[in-house]
Amino acid sequence: GAVVSQHPSRVICKSGTSVKIECRSLDFQATTMFWYRQFPKQSLMLMATSNEGSKATYEQGVEKDKFLINHASLTLSTLTVTSAHPEDSSFYICSAETGGTRDTQYFGPGTRLTVL
Amino acid sequence: RKEVEQDPGPFNVPEGATVAFNCTYSNSASQSFFWYRQDCRKEPKLLMSVYSSGNEDGRFTAQLNRASQYISLLIRDSKLSDSATYLCVVNTNAGKSTFGDGTTLTVKP
């Protein structure tokens, strides 16, 4: 099946630092990847849609200058949380779309970010 | 009104029970439909796609009613390992995916 990896799985950092999260589709090419955030006991919230070779599309309320997304290749998208603050602590999950008529999304294992 | 709505539950059922979840969607242009399950502190995993004709995978049956704009998931002979949050996902033909908030199921011995 389609496998998506995410790295790192867990990050603990000080307030003010930047954190980079990588999302890779391991056995397929993904022209579109998605970045989600999930706070405890809440649903997934789409942050942005990342398209290879073009700028990401951000959802309303998500600051593009704070959450930098780069989709450098068909198998790699990165999310950088710049100047992270405690309120950015969350579970960040990426997904990649396999394309085709059904556009199934496969999720990475997630990155748990804790900002002290 | 949310684009995709699910009964949040929780559903607490004994082992062996049959349980059904419904999910309604508001966008009539929606094209494809999925059920995912998410375990605590883990990523969502695809459970099954939902086809117009209905589809079954072992103990799981998914159905789509386009006229009434809802999809359903039926779990028969519930196992302890079925305890999770079940997410309904609806895609439009523009490639936009919308997730429901999820329905929590706890299967008890």
Side-chain angles (χ1 to χ4, degrees), chain B residues 25-55:
Chain B
Y25 60 94
S26 59
N27 188 341
S28 58
S30 299
Q31 293 292 313
S32 50
F33 310 87
F34 307 88
W35 283 102
Y36 284 75
R37 73 170 273 169
Q38 185 175 24
D39 293 288
C40 189
R41 300 172 72 85
K42 300 281 189 183
E43 79 277 18
K45 291 188 187 293
L46 180 66
L47 181 63
M48 57 198 306
S49 302
V50 187
Y51 300 104
S52 296
S53 54
N55 47 302

Side-chain angles (χ1 to χ4, degrees), chain B residues 4-108:
Chain B
V4 176
E5 293 204 61
Q6 292 182 249
D7 182 344
F11 285 67
N12 297 307
V13 303
E15 267 187 295
T18 295
V19 62
F21 308 136
N22 283 334
C23 168
T24 59
Y25 60 94
S26 59
N27 188 341
S28 58
S30 299
Q31 293 292 313
S32 50
F33 310 87
F34 307 88
W35 283 102
Y36 284 75
R37 73 170 273 169
Q38 185 175 24
D39 293 288
C40 189
R41 300 172 72 85
K42 300 281 189 183
E43 79 277 18
K45 291 188 187 293
L46 180 66
L47 181 63
M48 57 198 306
S49 302
V50 187
Y51 300 104
S52 296
S53 54
N55 47 302
E56 187 174 308
D57 182 3
R59 298 181 293 107
F60 299 85
T61 301
Q63 291 194 312
L64 165 65
N65 185 317
R66 284 191 185 272
S68 300
Q69 295 185 198
Y70 78 83
I71 66 172
S72 64
L73 177 68
L74 183 78
I75 305 176
R76 290 181 298 279
D77 189 24
S78 301
K79 311 289 185 193
L80 296 177
S81 57
D82 293 334
S83 297
T85 297
Y86 291 82
L87 303 169
C88 164
V89 181
V90 175
N91 288 1
T92 65
N93 58 1
K96 178 177 161 61
S97 295
T98 304
F99 282 73
D101 289 344
T103 298
T104 300
L105 170 67
T106 301
V107 181
K108 299 188 173 180

Side-chain angles (χ1 to χ4, degrees), chain A residues 8-113:
Chain A
S9 58
R10 183 182 291 270
V11 179
I12 300 174
C13 68
K14 292 182 180 179
S15 186
T17 57
S18 293
V19 176
K20 186 176 183 179
I21 303 170
E22 291 187 351
C23 176
R24 293 181 186 271
S25 56
L26 297 185
D27 51 0
F28 66 99
Q29 293 184 329
T31 53
T32 304
M33 290 183 172
F34 303 88
W35 287 96
Y36 296 85
R37 181 166 53 180
Q38 187 174 36
F39 293 104
K41 298 188 185 294
Q42 294 187 25
S43 60
L44 286 167
M45 287 175 42
L46 179 65
M47 299 175 67
T49 301
S50 167
N51 294 296
E52 187 267 338
S54 64
K55 290 184 180 180
T57 303
Y58 290 81
E59 295 298 301
Q60 193 172 11
V62 178
E63 299 174 57
K64 62 180 181 181
D65 294 329
K66 179 168 180 65
F67 299 99
L68 301 178
I69 291 173
N70 184 283
H71 196 147
S73 74
L74 288 171
T75 58
L76 173 64
S77 176
T78 60
L79 167 69
T80 301
V81 183
T82 62
S83 187
H85 289 97
E87 58 266 28
D88 298 323
S89 299
S90 187
F91 190 43
Y92 291 86
I93 311 175
C94 73
S95 72
E97 206 165 64
T98 56
T101 56
R102 292 200 65 82
D103 292 337
T104 305
Q105 288 187 46
Y106 291 88
F107 287 83
T111 297
R112 194 161 300 282
L113 171 63

